[in-house]
């Protein structure tokens, strides 16, 4: 049984359009380019995730550290004014600190009985402050503790620093800090990291394409020369691109 040649259909090689024209998936250049790009993309994705995690943890620690330092500073300054019962000076200090730190939602200076001697919300002055409910983030040796607030605002944390003056316990300072500043700082860090890694990916992709072309060029030249020799058409020597094994 014979089959006419015009009915024979041979499978065609799949091809895709590369930066310098069509390339076959079976070609060395195409496979090298795809391998380099896949390895580069995977490495960059993993590096981005690790860098973002480290950056987020660093920002979180810095925000908590700043709030802790501010609480200690207020407690240190409030002791003398509490001894003198200078409520005007305490009010002025609380007002200025809250105005200059928009991420602080409230500041309260409490007496030993947990009653608010001074509060950034004037209506809450004299109110007995209930302890915050939530997970304790850290507790210092001087009695300062930082705690995530579970209610009423889950996106905040509280810092309480004891007020002591000449070994006397005069109460404590309580700061409530909005976590939204953390989200804003993390979003800014994500955008910067994304831009940096996008540039790295673009440069790496261009380098990978150039590398694959440099590797494939001498092999392609050799294959072309061998094919021409088989046909008896080769009349000039092969071009040497480099002095190594591939040249």
């Amino acid at each position: 049984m014979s089959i006419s040649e015009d009915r024979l259909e041979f499978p065609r090689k799949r091809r895709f359009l590369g930066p310098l024209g069509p390339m076959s998936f079976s070609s060395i250049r195409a496979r090298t380019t795809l391998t380099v790009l896949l390895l580069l993309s995977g490495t960059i994705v993993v590096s981005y995730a690790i860098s973002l995690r480290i950056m987020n943890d660093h920002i979180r620690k810095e925000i908590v550290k700043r709030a802790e330092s501010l609480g200690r500073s207020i407690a240190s300054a409030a002791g003398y004014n509490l001894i003198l019962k200078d409520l005007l000076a305490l009010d002025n200090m609380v007002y200025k600190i809250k105005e200059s730190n928009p991420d602080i939602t409230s500041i309260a200076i409490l007496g030993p009985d947990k009653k608010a001697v001074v509060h950034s919300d004037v209506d809450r002055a004299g109110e007995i402050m209930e302890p915050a409910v939530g997970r304790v983030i850290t507790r210092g040796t001087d009695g300062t503790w930082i705690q995530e607030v579970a209610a009423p605002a889950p996106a905040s944390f509280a810092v309480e620093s004891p007020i002591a003056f000449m070994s006397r316990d005069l109460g404590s300072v309580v700061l409530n800090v909005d976590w939204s500043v953390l989200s804003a700082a993390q979003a800014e860090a994500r955008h910067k990291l994304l831009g940096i890694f996008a540039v790295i990916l673009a440069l790496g992709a261009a380098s990978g394409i150039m590398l694959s072309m440099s590797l494939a060029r001498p092999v392609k030249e050799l294959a072309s020369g061998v094919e021409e020799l088989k046909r008896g058409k080769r009349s000039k020597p092969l071009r040497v691109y480099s002095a190594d094994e591939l040249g």
Side-chain angles (χ1 to χ4, degrees), residues 23-36:
M23 292 194 299
S24 170
F25 273 104
S26 61
S27 69
I28 295 177
R29 185 174 65 174
R31 284 182 290 178
T32 305
T33 301
L34 288 176
T35 302
V36 171

Side-chain angles (χ1 to χ4, degrees), residues 7-242:
R7 292 188 178 182
L8 289 176
E9 294 184 0
F10 296 95
R12 297 180 178 178
K13 292 183 179 180
R14 295 177 61 190
R15 303 173 72 84
F16 71 99
L17 189 61
L20 300 178
M23 292 194 299
S24 170
F25 273 104
S26 61
S27 69
I28 295 177
R29 185 174 65 174
R31 284 182 290 178
T32 305
T33 301
L34 288 176
T35 302
V36 171
L37 289 180
L38 287 175
L39 289 175
L40 181 64
S41 300
T43 303
I44 286 180
V45 169
V46 173
S47 300
Y48 174 76
I50 295 174
S51 301
L52 187 61
R53 178 67 179 272
I54 294 173
M55 184 70 71
N56 287 343
D57 289 343
H58 176 72
I59 293 173
R60 182 186 179 94
K61 289 178 181 178
E62 286 299 315
I63 291 175
V64 171
K65 185 178 179 181
R66 184 180 69 85
E68 183 180 4
S69 176
L70 185 58
R72 286 194 174 104
S73 298
I74 297 174
S76 177
Y80 181 74
N81 291 320
L82 282 174
I83 290 289
L84 297 179
K85 297 183 180 180
D86 190 351
L87 299 184
L88 182 60
L90 291 173
D91 273 324
N92 186 52
M93 178 176 63
V94 167
Y95 172 78
K96 287 183 177 180
I97 292 174
K98 188 175 183 303
E99 283 296 310
S100 60
N101 296 274
D103 55 317
I104 296 178
T105 57
S106 67
I107 302 175
I109 297 178
L110 311 180
D113 56 355
K114 298 299 180 183
K115 181 181 291 187
V117 178
V118 173
H119 200 288
S120 56
D121 183 356
V122 180
D123 295 335
R124 300 189 64 182
E127 180 182 327
I128 295 179
M129 307 296 294
E130 296 294 334
V133 178
R135 181 177 66 89
V136 175
I137 301 174
T138 182
R139 189 182 296 273
T141 56
D142 63 343
T144 298
W145 54 262
I146 302 172
Q147 184 176 19
E148 287 184 344
V149 179
S156 65
F157 67 97
V159 179
E160 182 169 356
S161 296
I163 301 175
F165 188 78
M166 299 181 64
S167 301
R168 290 178 56 186
D169 180 17
L170 301 178
S172 60
V173 174
V174 178
L175 280 73
N176 281 289
V177 185
D178 190 358
W179 269 129
S180 62
V181 65
L182 173 65
S183 302
Q186 288 177 340
E188 184 179 357
R190 280 197 302 270
H191 292 154
K192 290 182 178 179
L193 281 177
L194 191 60
I196 293 172
F197 280 104
V199 172
I200 294 174
L201 179 59
L203 293 176
S207 301
I209 293 173
M210 293 176 63
L211 175 64
S212 65
M213 291 175 61
S214 65
L215 292 175
R217 187 182 297 115
V219 177
K220 184 177 179 181
E221 179 79 12
L222 177 61
S224 176
V226 171
E227 187 66 25
E228 290 186 5
L229 285 175
K230 287 170 60 178
R231 297 177 182 178
K233 298 181 179 179
R234 192 71 180 180
S235 60
K236 57 182 180 179
L238 296 176
R239 179 179 176 184
V240 177
Y241 290 91
S242 62

